[in-house]
Amino acid sequence: MNPTKITPSARPKLAVVIGAIGVRAIAAIPLFELLDEARIEADLLIGSSGGALMAAMRGADYSPAEMRKLVEGMRREKLYSQVDYRTLLGFAHPKLAKPGIGSALKKSDRQHELYRRIFGERRLEDLRPTTLLQSADCIVGEGVMLGAGPLADAVYAASAMAPDFPPIQFDGRWLVDGAYISPVPILEAVKRQADVIIALFYDEEPKPHPEDLLESNFNILAAYFSRLIKDQTILSIELHHHEIILVPIRFDRYVGPWELGAIPEILQAGDKAVARKRDEILDVVANSTQQI
């Protein structure tokens, strides 16, 4: 017999937060599989960085099976390898080409193409459940929570890791990866009065042996992101009135944020992370429902 479907009207407000940089956020797919299996519907989806793509796909009503198929196809695409030689020339010879705000070390054409292929003309405000994407204004240095606008552009705006990839002008602001402000935006779920928050994330760590300047630079960012995750998570727990379930992703080796070849490993890590938290997730939702 199928379990009773637990809908938003039959239990406290549930938020799912996805925070992981780059392709490592794909580990969220097993979490969506568990929620579907248990017939649990979320009221709110919030994604930052790579988590923006996962939250948007879920909000756009892609099934976990469809998501797996799409991300498997990403392994064959060279999404992150187009060098912008004009920008490099500008750094070397500023008089020949001065890089503007929308410049970066790599081009983002293939990422934009992928997001438009996945989302078409969908708009962020039309997704169900309500889906929010964490971005950052690179001019004034403040967080921007996106809740409306062209979905493909919003996903890019929430995951553009500058200076590797260029900022995007969105609704009059130059936006970059939301991880710079909130790698795991649990605080936004608290702010929106979610009763139960499930946060799947990767606690950033440096690559043991960086091979080039960009990798060593990302190691500095990884330390910053890790500290930000810890501080914001502690604050969320102190402010929250109910349940926060943390689902950390762990890998057997270092997996880079743009390592498309590691997608099978990332999915396996997601399977393991969700399996470790399965009973806790089901128990918290069930007990919270009984307390209504």
Side-chain angles (χ1 to χ4, degrees), residues 2 7 11 16 55 61 89 116 126 138 143 173 181 201 212 215 221 270 279 282 290:
N2 290 330
T7 61
R11 54 156 174 73
V16 175
D61 203 30
L89 178 63
R116 293 192 180 101
D126 295 331
C138 67
R173 308 179 78 164
I181 298 296
F201 65 97
D212 55 36
E215 288 187 351
L221 289 175
D279 291 344
L282 298 181
Q290 293 168 8

Side-chain angles (χ1 to χ4, degrees), residues 77-151:
E77 302 190 40
K78 297 180 179 180
L79 295 175
Y80 309 116
S81 59
Q82 285 183 296
V83 175
D84 191 329
Y85 292 102
R86 181 177 177 81
T87 298
L88 293 180
L89 178 63
F91 286 143
H93 301 285
K95 292 183 179 180
L96 295 179
K98 186 176 181 180
I101 294 174
S103 303
L105 299 176
K106 296 181 180 181
K107 296 180 180 180
S108 57
D109 305 34
R110 292 171 183 168
Q111 294 168 60
H112 285 292
E113 181 184 344
L114 172 68
Y115 300 154
R116 293 192 180 101
R117 194 164 67 240
I118 293 174
F119 300 116
E121 300 300 318
R122 289 184 178 93
R123 294 185 62 81
L124 182 54
E125 64 267 30
D126 295 331
L127 303 191
R128 293 293 179 271
T130 298
T131 303
L132 304 172
L133 306 182
Q134 178 72 61
S135 188
D137 187 319
C138 67
I139 302 299
V140 298
E142 65 181 17
V144 178
M145 187 59 68
L146 302 177
L151 183 54

Side-chain angles (χ1 to χ4, degrees), residues 11-15 189 193-197 240-244 288:
R11 54 156 174 73
K13 185 176 181 180
L14 170 65
Q193 299 182 327
D195 300 298
V196 178
I197 301 170
H240 195 234
H241 65 281
H242 200 45
E243 297 280 357
I244 297 178
S288 299

